[in-house]
Structures are given as structure tokens and as C-alpha cells.
Amino acid sequence: MTNPPIRLLLNAEPVEIHGLPVTTTLLAWLRGQRGLKGTKEGCAEGDCGACTVVVGALDATQGDALQLASVNACIQLLPTLDGKAVFTVEYLRALADGALHPVQKAMVEHHGSQCGFCTPGFVMSLWQLYERRPEDAPASPSSGGARCAGGCAGQQVCGPSAGQPGPQGQPPSRAEIASALTGNLCRCTGYRPILDAGEAMFAEPAVHLDRAAIRAALLALRQRRAAAALDYQAADAHCHLPRNLAQLLALRAQKPQATLVAGGTDVGLWVTKQFRELGDLIHTGAVAELQAMTTAADGGLRIGAAVSLNAAYAAIAGRYPELAELWERFASTPVRNAGTLGGNVANGSPIGDSMPPLIALGARVVLQSLRAERVLALEDFYLDYMKKDLAADEIVAAVEIPPRAQGLRFRTYKLSKRYDSDISAVCSAFALVLAPDGRIGAARIAFGGMAATPRRAAQAEAALRGRRWDEDALEQACAALAQDYRPLGDMRASAAYRQRAAANLLRRFYLETRQHAALPAEAVNVFADIADRTGLAGLANQA
Amino acid sequence: MNQPQEALLPAPPEISPESAGMPDAATKPRVLYSRSEAHESAHLHVSGSATYVDDMPELAGTLHAAIGMSAKAHARILAIDFTEVQAMPGVVGVLQAGDIPGSNDCGPILHDDPILADGVVKFVGQPMFAVVATSQEAARRAARKARVEYEELPAVLDIRAAKAAGELVVPPLVLVRGSPEEKLASAPHVLRGTWSVGGQEQFYLEGQISYAVPREDGCMQLWCSTQHPTEMQHLVAHCLQLASNQVVVEIRRMGGGFGGKESQSGIFACIAALAARRFGRPVKLRPDRDDDMMITGKRHDFVYDYAVGFDDTGRILAAKVEMAARAGFSTDLTPPVITRAVCHFDNAYYLGDADIRAFGCRTHTQSNTAFRGFGGPQGAIMMEYIIDSIARQLGMDALAVRRINFYGTTERNVTPYLQVVRDNIIGEMVDELVATSDYHARRAAIARFNAGSPVLKKGLALTPVKFGISFNVPHFNQAGALVHVYTDGSVLVSHGGTEMGQGLNTKVAQVVAHTLGVPLAQVRASAADTSKVANTSATAASTGSDLNGKAAEDAARQIRARLAAFAAPLLGGAAEDAARVRFADGAVALHGAQGACSLPFADVVAQAYLARVQLWSDGFYATPGLHWDARTLTGNPFYYYAYAAGVSEVLVDTLTGEWRLLRTDLLYDAGNSINPAIDIGQVEGGFIQGMGWLTSEELVWNREGRLTTHAPSTYKIPAIHDCPAEFRTRLFQRPNPQETVLRSKATGEPPLLLPFSVLMALRDAVSSVGGHRVQPPLRAPATPEAILDAVDAVRAGVTEAPGVTLHYERLA
């Protein structure tokens, strides 16, 4: 078949798309081609949430269950939505037979809109949360929200992803509502009434999405698709959607110049802000093998490159609950829904928030090509500013995170001007393994925002190794840290602040993890009570 | 015209709506006009069916414009090569300054604001040309292809450098009362210092946009996201050499304005209209967010030099300040902005003798403009910082120093600009807030917490607000309205104000519904339209409801009077009974000797039509009693003051400068609130917005003068977790002693000053590091970096000052 269309569900109706450029954004299509003007453009860079829509997809790792996720339509490239279901704000009244949906009703009654421009985005983020109504929840071993306790049987890792139900029988807490709204900016209300609406929406008589029907329609779409990679073509450019790893590697070898697109949360900006010519696109999101989370050979986690950041972090945090705060502060909920761990790692920005914790934990990156598979320590993957040890025919296939070491003291801290959805001025991760005699065995310290690449603090680590974890060792490590990095100053922070704060974060780490009179997070971190640290408390109890 | 308050107004309702549980019994309506009605468009907002300019169906043949911007802060344009631009797909043409038939100016006061740069560029981002193409994307892509040859000129990027060089957009404002120098010389205590506060991007969620459509006979119709349709009409008329009656500007709603669409929508309106005229086709101009932020002006950042003399009790004897504001490359609204800064330096305090000066400094950056508060916040916050410093100097609680300096009610009640403060309730409000917020107990608890917490420190502060309501320029304080009653009894009200989310249309509709005694659902507010209501003022200066509510009420009363005269005989009365005809609950009624007689409003209207009674009316209002001498900076510029107070408690990390707002209590003087929910929305929204200005929102220009924070990825307005977990807002509902519409008070701008309490609480927390013995040099915005700088400075200061208790010695 030549030139097949993109097929998706738009507000539950099947739609075929031909002839639009491969870089057409979902937002441009909704507003320009479909006349759906409820979805707004506020920034065209995934930072304001006025364009939030909900995307439904079948999760092959969960028995093709329908997963709903809020995403920013402004930076989603249309071809990457092939086989998925897109829901816009206009659909909510259709669901409620023309009346206001409970989410909408609660927003009206609690005065959650003023100018109204951000409102459809808030409504859609709330709707995604609404669709995890407590009565929908299957029995879940997790507690305290979407968190996996870690004891998964079998190969498949149970990392609940976005859109999964919370604990049974309880509507989301105010904290969970806030978490769902980290990607939505409102300049008018100050947010309090919107949080009130989020609580009140569950008090209304329920209005349900017919999940079974959507799932059936998506399965029907899948039936129609060819076994071969989709080759969508318009205006002399192709967008390839390989279905399996073999197809992806073959395409990569064949088209080393093509742009790989995973979640598109960065590539989208190349389109909307930079008008970069991307040439052909290869989308990794439909590759079944890259969606998998399995157990690595060393018993650690192996996370496929196309697993969403939210799902990946949930799984990692099951083993390393110290990541809770960083997870919540990594971009925003819709960006984490769309973005992938593999994409963040492969992009390799010096200010990406995945790399410091992964490097500190000793993560490895799995690179694949038709030729071979290579496994690198993650820190060795980054050669220089935006330069990676990645051949033209290679792809990042997975990230492997080793199992938790005995005696591990691990923390991650992020500094930025704002708690939610801000790029780090400094992102830090500290991992010490304390031997039974109290001496520091392994020391791995990694920073983002301090150098041209995410990088380890070799001299600070050396200052710690073999020492007792005491104040003298700390201060020597702080002094060494000043030699490890020569940060730049920019609009996020001055070089001097980065340098000072980096050392102070090491001091915070010390206060939290020293062997005697360690301070709880509440005593050293103003955000301690925001992020869900229930898992961390559990670990502390074990120790 | 202006009419006295009605004697038959129902008694004011007793309402104390709390943030928690707003829609419960506490806010249940007692009378129609003071009721937490939903925003008139709320059902449309939530459904995605509220139409903004970019959502309107485009007419066939619509073209799109994009702006080509300067890459240099100050340069002569030697040549621009458009060869590649013209070759791009979809390009229809390019427009430059020479293509403007009329005046190349969109300055609201002085004429120094070119629509398109003519020969010289004066900031990075200045529009130089416009590309018109068949799609927005095509126009944007093509605009980047121009090759510009510049000859660079020296650029002034710093406020102090501009001030030192005498680069001012208007002569300095100087207000001197008494003998401040002598008083300073003899004062028991004197504090002198310098300080600074940053600017602020409006960050309306809906960016600037204009859609211009050529009409017959050279006329032009525009849909423009603007707070000032009349000014857009004038600017477009001047640009195209048209009469005002040839230009119509309409705006149904904006996705936020905050001052950023008062004058600065002009450039977009003019370019869209210019292109529409040139190509004879509809043209839409919607700049991308980055372009919007690069082109448009922001809140003025200020630097200050101050001196204050005070006695042992903390009472101010004299104050002196020089406030230098970044005007940017042109005048824009800087003169009234710095005038308001001068008139709000006192905030709620009697200053004794004063010397207040303000400078509008010309820099090669965006031309700064209106932003909610309009210089008032920049004036008042300097005084709060001074008061905070006085308290620390004397070892007193800042609240005590604030109280001792509050304006009196019968004496010490004359402002530096000679307006007498007649309606002062700040002392009473602060007493109430101190009690409801448990201020004193929490102050003690915080001291205990800080003594036991080596890294994290808490801070607490209560700050007051007194804000003058009216445009400082008396003639802007007028408004018109048009009320139509149709024969089915439904009502349409048009007024000169614009709806930008503040709930103006809802309030005006409530006023009209109340006046005509019909259900609110029967009243619809229409788009602001220069062809319906002429010569309007900007919807600004918090005056929207005061002015337009009064004008609409005036129109509705005229209709009501006609209907009453017509209905009196129908209801069994005589002609002279007209004054006793009552309009309420959708009925027209007369209590006569034979008891009550009542007819449905719609029936009376239908019959009145048949009897040829005029069922529509205009209305007009001019705020009484205002005068202002711009030369001496004296007069009675404000019809009344709105008061407020806030208490905030913060938690600061002294290792990183990170912080969090733990709790805020706000008390706001809304008069007889027309709509408590909307007013609380203004109070809370203004608070959070002002908190952003003072904390996370940082504008950074690089050495070349390029703004590097030009998108939400780099410019951080408050987000969901910045809303404090404990956020308690109450309205202090006492009828306005002035005869404002239904005795309400304005709520637009004053709440933006409430987060002064946050900044002062941060300073209090930082101060605790040095045992409150060292003045923390905390600048605003208080980013984590600014806070850590202040913490480190306090630590250094403590080290230098022997005998001071050091609370932070080692890592605990």
C-alpha cells in the first residue's frame, strides 16, 4: 500500500489523515483542520497547559488496557498519535449528553475560571484524574497513589503509569489533584478555586467514559494496520512508525539522517519554535519491545526506551523512593506522560533531570543497531555538550538500573525558581554505600546544570571514598566539589549560586544521611511534605 | 448622569465569605446584587466554547502577518534585504515604516513609539517590518529570512546609568512636603539605603492578537484583544489616515490583560490594519508567545535611594526617596505609572515631612507599560521595606511600627499629595486580621521553631494596603453604557469596559438586573464595541465596575423610570404613583390602597412597546470630586481608597534559598461586594500574581540587551504548588462611604500589594539567621539565589558584629 493514512480516534470517532506535513502538531490540526477551538495555544512549548488534551492508548504490557494521559497538544506531532484516541474539551459535554460534565460543573460552581483561556486545559487535566475514579480501581497492592512497592513477581514490572487508579475507595487527595495540574498555568485565580473544584467534581453524579467502547475502537484500528512499519508520507517527508525493534533498527540503518522522535516533548519545540527542517521522522513509540519494563540480568530494572517518564519513574521509585520529589518536579504531568525515559537520556541535555540520579545509581544505557548491542555506563554515554557516544545507526534501546545496594544512602535534590515544571538550575544526586564499619565504600555524585554534560563529581567522590561519613569528610568533599565543576551563569542562576548551592546540597545530604542524629527531610527541605515520601519512610524504618 | 444613591436600597447584607466552602450558606443570596453568581461566561470557559479572537471563524481570503524584530539593542538600520523573504512559500508582501500612510506612531501619551522602526532600532525585539502570508506559519518562517545590516550604536541597559546620564522620558516628578532635610538631620534615628525591585511580564494566557477586516468606503473593522478599544480605534485611524467613525474595534473577551493590553495592543492592531488596508484582505496578527514577550513592555523595574528619620517608638518623622523606573525605549505610560508610584509611596502611613521623587529612565529595552497596580506596588513596597528595617533597627515587631505610623482618622490624615484620607479603616482591619490570623501566638511559635531548627527558618509578616481608586488623570474617570430592553423582556447591556476575566460583565449585568428587578439570566452583556459606546476609557486602574456599573445603572434607571410611569396606571395607581412602582423578582408592582398589584416584567415591557415607550437608554457616569495638578503633584486624585491587609508565613531553606509559603490570611475591603466570589477571586488571584512578581518571576536581559526570559520555560509565574495549603481570604464588607455603584469598592489592583507580606516574611526568616540584628539585604524578586545571597550577607554581617548571637554556627 502506498501512502497510508494516520488513523486515530478523535473524540471517539475514527479519523483518517492524509497529506498533512509530518511535523503538523496535534494542536494545529485540532484548531486549523478540525475547527476544535476549545484547545488553546498559550505558549507552543508545552509549558502553560492551555492546549492540554487527553490521549488514550492501549497498553500492551497491561493486557491492552486503555490508558488515559493528559498531554500538551502543542508539541505532539500528529503522526505519533496513529492508533491512539484523542479527547478534547468539546467531548466532555458530549459525554454528559450536552450538560456540563461533573468536572466542568465543579469548575463553574467553585469559580475556577476567570479569563477562561487556561480553563479547557485545566478541565482536561482534571478529567484525566476524574477518569481514575475510585470505584474504577482494581485491587492494587500499592498504597499512597501510583507507586509500586517493588515486589513484582515474574518478568513484567508492575510500574503503574499515569492514568491508573489511585487507592480504592478514596477520591484523590488535594495533593494528588495538585500533582495532576503541575502542567497548567493560570494567571487569574491563584489556583485555590481550581483545587476546590478538583475535590468537588467527585461529589457529582458520575459520568463515565465508555472505556470498553474506546478500547474496542482502538483494537479495531489496530486490526486495520499493516504488520509493516507505517510509512506516512506528505510533502516529500516520511514519518515511519515501526511496530517492532527489528523494523526500527532496519529503518535506522537505512536512514541515519532521519530524526528519531519518542515522546516529542523536545522535538516538538524544534518545530514550533525553531522551524528546524527535520527531514524524515522515525517514531519509536509504536515499537512493542521498547515499551517493556523487565528485570535486568543483575536483577535490576530494564526500562524500554519508549516507556513514558511517568511509568519509568514510578517503577524506579518503587526501588528508590528517594526519587519522589524529583519525579514530581520533573517537568509537568503532561510532559512526563508524553516524554520517555529513553528520549530524555538520548537527548542528553546538560539540564535533563533523569541523568544525575541515574548516573548516581550506576545506570547503564543499552544501545542497539543491526550490527550489535552495546551497554555503556550512562556517564560514559555523554562525550560533550549534546554529543553522545552513539553511532548513526544506533538507537537507545533501554536503560538499566542496578538493584539497590546494601547500605545505600541516596538522595536527589533539584534547585529551580519554581517547584513545578521548571528547568533545574542545579539537579543533584548523591549515592553513598556505607560499609558495616561505617566507612564509605562506593561514592557516586552526579550533577546536572553544572557542566556541559550531566557529569560525576570525581574529586568530591574521591574525597569521600574510604572515609567515615562525618563532618570533616563532608567539608573536604565540599572543597573538592568546587574543583569538579566550572558552572556557567544564565537566566536560571549565576555561576556563583550554582557553585555555593551545590556544596550546600551536599551538606543537606550529609545532614539527612549521617549515621548519628540524621535529620528528617522535614528539617532540611522546605518541600518535604509535598511529595509523597511514604516509600522513603518505609526504607528508613527498615534501616 | 450621576445620580445620588437610592434611598430605598435594601440594607447591606451580612456576608463573610471564606475561601473554604465559598458556595455554602454563608454566601447565600440575601439580595440580588451581592451574590456569588458564577462568571457570566464560566459555562463557556469550561466547555471550550468561549470565543477568543483567534477562535472566530476566519473570513475567506484571510492573510496572516508576522513581525520581523530587531536583533540589536540600539542600531541604525542600514539595509534590509527581503529577497529570501519574498521567495518563501505563501508570502504575499512585506510592510515597512514607509508603507504607513498616516502617522507611524502608537504611543498613548507622547509620540515616540513607532509602529515599525524607521531607520533606528532601540531595543532587541523592536518591530522593523511585517511579513504578510497565507498562513501564520508561512509568515513566521519568512520573517526570519530577512537579512538586516545594522550599524550598532551605544546602548543604555541599566536604570542607574540612564538616570546618571539624564536619559529621562519625562522631567522628574518632585513632591516635597515640609522640611524633610531638617527633620532628617534632627531625627533620633536615620536609615539610608538603596534597594531594587524587578519588573514583571503580564503573561496573559491569551497572547496579543488583532484581526482586521477592510470594510466599504475605506472603513476598517477590528477584533482586537485589548483593554482599550477606543485607543485602538484612534491609533488605527491615525495610522491609516481615517476618521474615528471609519474604524470599529470590538472585543468580547480577553484571555487576561493585567495592563499588558492597555496601550501595547496598539502595535498589533495597527500592523494588522495596515496590512488589511494594503492588501485589501482580512489580516490576522497573532504573535508567538516568544515574540509577544520580546516586543511588549512589562511592569517597570525600580531602583531606590531612600532615607528615613524616626523616633524611638518607630514613628516616622521624615522620609525621602528617589525612585528610578525603567521606562524602556519610549514614554508609553511611564508618566502616569511613576505618578502613581509617587502617590503610593506612603502606602497606609503618615510620613510627616517627605521628599518623593520619581524618574522615568530611558533604556534600550522594551517600553514598559501598565501592569496591575500601575506603579502603586513599586511605590508602596519601598515604604514597607523601610518600615521593616525600622523595626529591626529598634528591635521591635514590624507590626507595632506599622500600627504607630498608620494614617489617623482625624489628624495625621493628609497625604503628601494633600488628599485628606477620610475613609480610613486600616487600623480596624488590621486589628481584625491580627485576631483571626492568630498573629501574636504564631510569632511566638515561630521564634521557638527557629531556635530549634538549624537549617530551615520560618518568617511571618503582616502588611497593610491602602490603594487610591480612580485614574490619576481626572478626565479618564467617565463611562458610558447602552441598555436595551427587548419586547420579550430580555435585556442587553453594552458598556465601555472590557472583560478580561475580572468578572466586569457579570457585575454590570448584576447591577442592571438589580435595577430592573429581573433575574440575572435575563440580562446579557455584549462585547465592548466602539460603535456602540464611544470615547471609552481603558478598562484599567481598578475602575471597571465603578465606572461602567454606574453608567449601566444610569441607563437602566432611565428605562425603569419610563416603565414606572407607564405601569403606574396599569397597576391601579395614579401618575404620581410612578415613584412607588417597584421592580423586583421579574415583576413590576405597586402597593396601593387596595393592596399589591403586580405584573410580570415582560408583560409590562410588551405593553410599553405597543404604547411607544422607549425601551432602551444610554447611561453616563463621571466620578465626582476629582482634581489633580500634574505640575505640583497635588489634588484629590482618588474618589476613595480601598484597604486590605495580609499575613503570610514562610519557610526558608538557609542552605539553598528555597522557600515555601505555608499560610496566608487576607482581609480585603470590598465595600458592599456586588459579587463576593468574583471579588475573592480578584483578591486571591492578585495576591498570587503579586507574589510571583516578588519571588519567582525574574526578567533577565543579557549583556547585548536581549531578554533571555521570553517564554514560560524560562519565565516562571506561580504554578499550582505555589498556592498555599492554608489560604484564608475574607471580605471586610462595609458599605463604601462614597456613593459608588451599590456602595461597592474596587478589587482589581489593590490585592496585588498583599503579597508584600510574603516578601517581608521571607526577610523575617532570613533575618532570624542573624538573630534579627542585621538588616538582610533581600532584593526582589526573592528567587532562591536572592534569598541565599541575603542569608550569606546576614551571616557575614553577624560575623563582623561581635556580641551578636549566632543561631547558625555549624551544621547543628
Side-chain angles (χ1 to χ4, degrees):
Chain A
M1 184 166 78
T2 57
N3 207 3
I6 300 159
R7 291 197 182 90
L8 51 77
L9 298 183
L10 174 59
N11 293 335
E13 297 294 327
V15 176
E16 291 193 357
I17 297 159
H18 299 269
L20 292 175
V22 299
T23 53
T24 304
T25 65
L26 174 56
L27 179 63
W29 178 66
L30 291 173
R31 289 184 61 83
Q33 310 289 319
R34 307 297 306 190
L36 294 170
K37 306 280 192 175
T39 311
K40 310 297 182 191
E41 179 183 312
C43 69
E45 61 174 9
D47 261 297
C48 79
C51 67
T52 307
V53 298
V54 170
V55 168
L58 300 177
D59 185 347
T61 69
Q62 308 248 345
D64 284 331
L66 177 67
Q67 298 283 7
L68 297 176
S70 56
V71 302
N72 299 114
C74 67
I75 49 173
Q76 285 285 303
L77 301 185
L78 194 53
T80 68
L81 293 154
D82 181 69
K84 296 182 180 172
V86 175
F87 300 98
T88 68
V89 67
E90 287 86 356
Y91 188 60
L92 266 60
R93 288 186 79 151
L95 272 179
D97 294 327
L100 291 179
H101 185 278
V103 174
Q104 296 169 316
K105 200 156 176 278
M107 281 287 279
V108 170
E109 288 176 357
H110 288 266
H111 310 281
S113 72
Q114 286 185 24
C115 86
F117 200 80
C118 70
T119 310
F122 274 96
V123 164
M124 293 311 282
S125 287
L126 286 172
W127 182 62
Q128 189 219 310
L129 190 66
Y130 181 86
E131 276 296 321
R132 329 171 351 194
R133 285 181 71 90
E135 57 266 37
D136 294 344
S140 161
S142 70
S143 62
R147 203 61 44 84
C148 168
C152 301
Q155 280 291 91
Q156 200 61 49
V157 174
C158 78
S161 58
Q164 278 245 324
Q168 200 159 15
Q170 287 168 17
S173 66
R174 206 163 169 98
E176 284 175 282
I177 296 164
S179 276
L181 299 175
T182 54
N184 295 90
L185 294 179
C186 169
R187 192 55 154 168
C188 296
T189 64
Y191 302 101
R192 193 269 312 158
I194 298 173
L195 289 166
D196 286 354
E199 288 184 328
M201 65 190 184
F202 294 98
E204 299 286 332
V207 170
H208 282 294
L209 175 70
D210 186 346
R211 285 163 170 271
I214 299 297
R215 185 170 174 273
L218 287 178
L219 286 169
L221 279 189
R222 187 192 287 175
Q223 290 294 317
R224 295 188 59 190
R225 82 181 191 193
L230 175 70
D231 179 3
Y232 172 78
Q233 200 180 335
D236 297 333
H238 298 255
C239 181
H240 301 279
L241 278 78
R243 310 297 183 190
N244 57 47
L245 189 59
Q247 291 174 358
L248 171 61
L249 296 178
L251 274 163
R252 192 64 184 143
Q254 189 192 328
K255 294 192 167 182
Q257 303 306 321
T259 302
L260 274 189
V261 183
T265 55
D266 197 27
V267 174
L269 273 66
W270 304 353
V271 173
T272 61
K273 295 293 174 179
Q274 300 171 7
F275 297 124
R276 261 200 238 175
E277 296 301 333
L278 300 183
D280 292 342
L281 307 180
I282 302 172
H283 176 53
T284 61
V287 177
E289 294 92 327
L290 299 189
Q291 307 282 352
M293 283 193 278
T294 55
T295 304
D298 64 354
L301 259 177
R302 189 181 199 275
I303 298 177
V307 172
S308 79
L309 281 160
N310 256 341
Y313 262 113
I316 300 170
R319 286 151 179 76
Y320 297 99
E322 297 93 335
L323 278 165
E325 183 189 317
L326 185 66
W327 172 19
E328 183 169 85
R329 297 183 65 186
F330 187 115
S332 62
T333 296
V335 167
R336 292 194 306 270
N337 283 335
T340 64
L341 185 66
N344 196 244
V345 163
N347 192 335
S349 161
I351 45 177
D353 280 344
S354 291
M355 283 70 86
L358 291 176
I359 289 172
L361 290 174
R364 302 173 296 269
V365 60
V366 180
L367 309 176
Q368 287 188 330
S369 65
L370 285 179
R371 295 175 290 119
E373 174 176 306
R374 292 195 292 153
V375 180
L376 293 180
L378 183 56
E379 67 255 37
D380 295 336
F381 182 57
Y382 303 110
L383 303 176
D384 203 345
Y385 179 68
M386 298 304 268
K387 253 185 80 179
K388 276 89 59 177
D389 182 1
L390 184 70
D393 64 343
E394 275 181 324
I395 61 139
V396 171
V399 175
E400 295 184 345
I401 296 122
R404 191 177 186 96
Q406 278 292 328
L408 178 73
R409 301 284 193 277
F410 174 57
R411 292 291 187 278
T412 58
Y413 307 123
K414 168 173 178 149
L415 296 180
S416 56
K417 288 180 194 168
R418 189 174 72 191
Y419 181 84
D420 296 311
S421 190
D422 196 358
I423 292 168
S424 295
V426 175
C427 180
S428 60
F430 306 95
L432 297 184
V433 177
L434 294 189
D437 66 357
R439 291 190 185 275
I440 297 166
R444 298 177 67 91
I445 297 174
F447 276 87
M450 296 289 286
T453 61
R455 234 185 56 198
R456 285 175 70 178
Q459 297 178 72
E461 291 176 0
L464 292 173
R465 246 176 245 120
R467 301 282 305 270
R468 290 195 179 280
W469 188 211
D470 58 21
E471 221 165 297
D472 288 336
L474 165 69
E475 288 308 323
Q476 285 182 27
C478 286
L481 198 58
Q483 306 305 314
D484 274 314
Y485 300 108
R486 287 281 174 272
L488 298 176
D490 62 11
M491 80 293 273
R492 297 192 180 89
S494 70
Y497 175 76
R498 286 190 161 105
Q499 198 75 268
R500 263 186 303 161
N504 282 351
L505 290 176
L506 183 53
R507 294 188 175 100
R508 181 198 285 179
F509 175 61
Y510 169 75
L511 290 172
E512 269 200 88
T513 61
R514 62 187 175 186
Q515 285 177 295
H516 301 292
L519 298 179
E522 289 71 27
V524 292
N525 184 340
V526 297
F527 304 123
D529 62 327
I530 297 184
D532 178 3
R533 287 157 200 275
T534 46
L536 189 58
L539 274 188
N541 293 340
Q542 287 165 26
Chain B
M1 247 327 272
N2 301 1
Q3 294 179 9
Q5 202 72 26
E6 290 182 331
L8 46 99
L9 201 64
E14 287 168 27
I15 299 173
S16 58
E18 301 248 0
S19 304
M22 264 298 300
D24 66 15
T27 55
K28 277 284 189 287
R30 313 249 166 95
V31 290
L32 186 64
Y33 70 85
S34 185
R35 186 164 153 163
S36 289
E37 300 282 358
H39 191 287
E40 43 91 19
S41 292
H43 62 296
L44 306 177
H45 296 154
V46 298
S47 305
S49 51
T51 305
Y52 302 81
V53 173
D54 197 38
D55 303 333
M56 296 167 50
E58 285 171 14
L59 295 167
T62 292
L63 298 174
H64 298 263
I67 292 175
M69 302 180 295
S70 167
K72 302 293 177 190
H74 191 200
R76 240 183 290 283
I77 306 170
L78 299 180
I80 308 182
D81 179 354
F82 290 111
T83 313
E84 284 186 57
V85 176
Q86 303 278 15
M88 289 290 285
V91 169
V92 174
V94 174
L95 296 167
Q96 290 182 269
D99 297 308
I100 298 170
S103 66
N104 179 17
D105 175 68
C106 57
I109 298 174
L110 300 185
H111 302 296
D112 58 352
D113 239 318
I115 299 163
L116 294 170
D118 194 0
V120 176
V121 286
K122 295 180 177 174
F123 69 99
V124 177
Q126 182 169 4
M128 298 188 295
F129 59 89
V131 176
V132 182
T134 50
S135 74
Q136 192 215 20
E137 188 188 333
R140 287 182 62 211
R141 279 180 182 273
R144 299 182 174 211
K145 299 288 183 185
R147 307 237 161 154
V148 186
E149 204 182 317
Y150 302 95
E151 178 195 337
E152 284 199 63
L153 300 168
V156 179
L157 299 173
D158 176 70
I159 301 176
R160 286 197 184 275
K163 186 183 170 203
E167 283 287 339
L168 305 176
V169 296
V170 284
L173 305 182
V174 180
L175 176 60
V176 180
R177 287 287 150 262
S179 315
E181 280 301 341
E182 287 168 31
K183 288 281 173 59
L184 279 173
S186 63
H189 305 273
V190 176
L191 272 176
R192 294 175 194 275
T194 62
W195 196 52
S196 66
V197 68
Q200 186 180 23
E201 159 66 34
Q202 289 82 4
F203 209 86
Y204 26 68
L205 258 289
E206 177 213 30
Q208 301 274 1
I209 182 168
S210 274
Y211 186 32
V213 179
R215 298 292 201 209
E216 68 178 23
D217 207 10
C219 295
M220 192 64 68
Q221 164 91 41
L222 282 105
W223 288 270
C224 175
S225 185
T226 183
Q227 294 168 245
H228 204 344
T230 289
E231 186 160 285
M232 298 307 109
Q233 177 193 23
H234 293 170
L235 292 173
V236 167
H238 296 157
C239 166
L240 298 183
Q241 283 190 312
L242 298 174
S244 289
N245 69 6
Q246 290 177 286
V247 181
V248 175
V249 177
E250 178 183 323
I251 178 63
R252 170 64 182 93
R253 64 172 63 77
M254 280 167 273
F258 313 114
K261 294 172 179 171
E262 185 172 339
S263 67
Q264 304 245 334
S265 41
I267 215 160
F268 307 97
C270 288
I271 291 174
L274 177 67
R277 155 68 70 86
R278 167 69 174 269
F279 299 106
R281 288 164 70 174
V283 175
K284 187 189 278 188
L285 173 51
R286 178 173 69 83
D288 179 67
R289 173 66 61 179
D290 297 70
D291 294 355
D292 186 321
M293 289 179 75
M294 290 299 285
I295 293 168
T296 60
K298 296 139 206 336
R299 181 189 298 285
H300 295 66
D301 47 326
F302 272 50
V303 298
Y304 311 85
D305 299 286
Y306 65 87
V308 60
F310 50 98
D311 65 17
D312 293 339
T313 67
R315 178 165 281 191
I316 294 172
L317 304 172
K320 224 183 132 176
V321 70
E322 288 201 355
M323 302 187 269
R326 178 192 299 274
F329 86 100
S330 73
T331 307
D332 192 79
L333 295 168
T334 294
V337 164
I338 60 177
T339 301
R340 191 165 275 268
V342 166
C343 292
H344 283 77
F345 174 65
D346 59 341
N347 195 14
Y349 309 109
Y350 181 73
L351 300 184
D353 294 2
D355 181 337
I356 306 168
R357 294 168 197 242
F359 302 80
C361 302
R362 189 191 302 278
T363 54
H364 291 101
T365 49
Q366 292 82 355
S367 189
N368 283 334
T369 190
F371 192 145
R372 197 176 194 171
F374 204 73
Q378 294 99 312
I381 195 165
M382 182 70 254
M383 179 50 60
E384 289 303 329
Y385 192 86
I386 289 172
I387 294 258
D388 189 66
S389 300
I390 291 172
R392 194 168 293 101
Q393 197 74 14
L394 296 175
M396 295 172 65
D397 189 315
L399 174 60
V401 178
R402 292 194 163 93
R403 276 179 159 148
I404 203 167
N405 285 294
F406 281 154
Y407 274 109
T409 48
T410 53
E411 49 171 15
R412 293 167 56 82
N413 64 347
V414 181
T415 65
Y417 49 93
L418 300 185
Q419 175 155 352
V420 179
V421 182
R422 297 181 194 283
D423 54 8
N424 184 4
I425 50 173
I426 192 63
E428 201 181 332
M429 288 180 69
V430 164
D431 289 347
E432 183 176 324
L433 186 63
V434 164
T436 57
S437 69
D438 211 10
Y439 178 89
H440 291 295
R442 285 164 66 204
R443 167 67 70 205
I446 285 169
R448 287 193 299 276
F449 174 90
N450 287 346
S453 177
V455 176
L456 304 189
K457 301 290 183 184
K458 287 185 178 176
L460 181 74
L462 182 154
T463 56
V465 177
K466 166 182 133 287
F467 198 88
I469 304 299
S470 296
F471 287 96
N472 248 35
V473 179
H475 74 258
F476 290 158
N477 295 287
Q478 59 172 310
L482 199 52
V483 172
H484 293 175
V485 175
Y486 293 101
T487 52
D488 62 354
S490 68
V491 182
L492 185 73
V493 53
S494 309
H495 57 85
T498 57
E499 174 64 41
M500 57 192 116
Q502 81 279 44
L504 173 59
N505 280 353
T506 313
K507 284 186 176 178
V508 170
Q510 282 180 272
V511 169
V512 170
H514 171 69
T515 308
L516 295 176
V518 298
L520 182 59
Q522 219 163 306
V523 182
R524 178 175 291 275
S526 80
D529 183 333
T530 56
S531 67
K532 286 213 180 90
V533 177
N535 311 331
T536 59
S537 293
T539 306
S542 308
T543 60
S545 303
D546 284 8
L547 297 178
N548 297 291
K550 270 289 197 188
E553 183 187 55
D554 178 44
R557 283 188 189 173
Q558 293 182 46
I559 298 166
R560 190 180 63 185
R562 289 184 206 124
L563 286 175
F566 170 73
L570 285 183
L571 296 166
E576 58 271 24
D577 290 326
R580 295 197 302 110
V581 173
R582 293 287 167 267
F583 291 73
D585 302 323
V588 182
L590 181 64
H591 285 265
Q594 291 82 37
C597 185
S598 170
L599 285 170
F601 180 80
D603 291 359
V604 173
V605 163
Q607 293 190 51
Y609 169 75
L610 295 175
R612 297 188 289 178
V613 174
Q614 184 184 342
L615 290 174
W616 55 272
S617 176
D618 62 333
F620 184 73
Y621 177 71
T623 314
L626 302 179
H627 57 92
W628 178 247
D629 183 336
R631 195 180 47 83
T632 60
L633 301 177
T634 57
N636 202 68
F638 306 122
Y639 188 37
Y640 62 90
Y641 294 99
Y643 298 88
V647 181
S648 293
E649 179 176 343
V650 300
L651 182 65
V652 167
D653 180 350
T654 59
L655 283 175
T656 62
E658 292 170 291
W659 71 281
R660 227 175 115 211
L661 179 58
L662 299 176
R663 172 176 167 183
T664 284
D665 296 61
L666 306 177
L667 183 60
Y668 188 85
D669 162 31
N672 252 352
S673 172
I674 293 173
N675 187 321
I678 282 177
D679 284 342
I680 284 180
Q682 288 295 295
V683 173
E684 293 184 343
F687 172 85
I688 295 289
Q689 193 173 74
M691 183 175 82
W693 167 48
L694 295 172
T695 58
S696 62
E697 297 182 36
E698 190 172 30
L699 293 165
V700 181
W701 286 269
N702 69 12
R703 263 172 297 187
E704 285 74 48
R706 175 179 294 274
L707 180 68
T708 59
T709 48
H710 50 73
S713 51
T714 45
Y715 184 78
K716 309 313 281 189
I717 71 168
I720 193 95
H721 280 104
D722 297 308
C723 175
E726 288 193 77
F727 200 2
R728 307 174 188 198
T729 306
R730 295 171 56 252
L731 299 181
F732 187 81
Q733 294 216 60
R734 180 171 303 176
N736 192 339
Q738 294 284 32
E739 289 187 353
T740 50
V741 60
L742 302 172
R743 300 275 182 182
S744 65
K745 281 195 176 187
T747 50
E749 295 169 292
L752 197 120
L753 286 72
L754 284 166
F756 290 4
S757 58
V758 174
L759 187 71
M760 296 310 149
L762 288 169
R763 197 167 183 231
D764 182 50
V766 172
S767 174
S768 72
V769 168
H772 302 291
R773 307 281 283 274
V774 177
Q775 298 284 0
L778 180 63
R779 63 183 181 269
T783 58
E785 177 165 353
I787 291 171
L788 187 63
D789 284 349
V791 166
D792 288 351
V794 168
R795 281 189 188 134
V798 167
T799 315
E800 288 158 16
V804 170
T805 316
L806 189 57
H807 283 265
Y808 188 98
E809 283 169 286
R810 277 174 71 83
L811 289 167

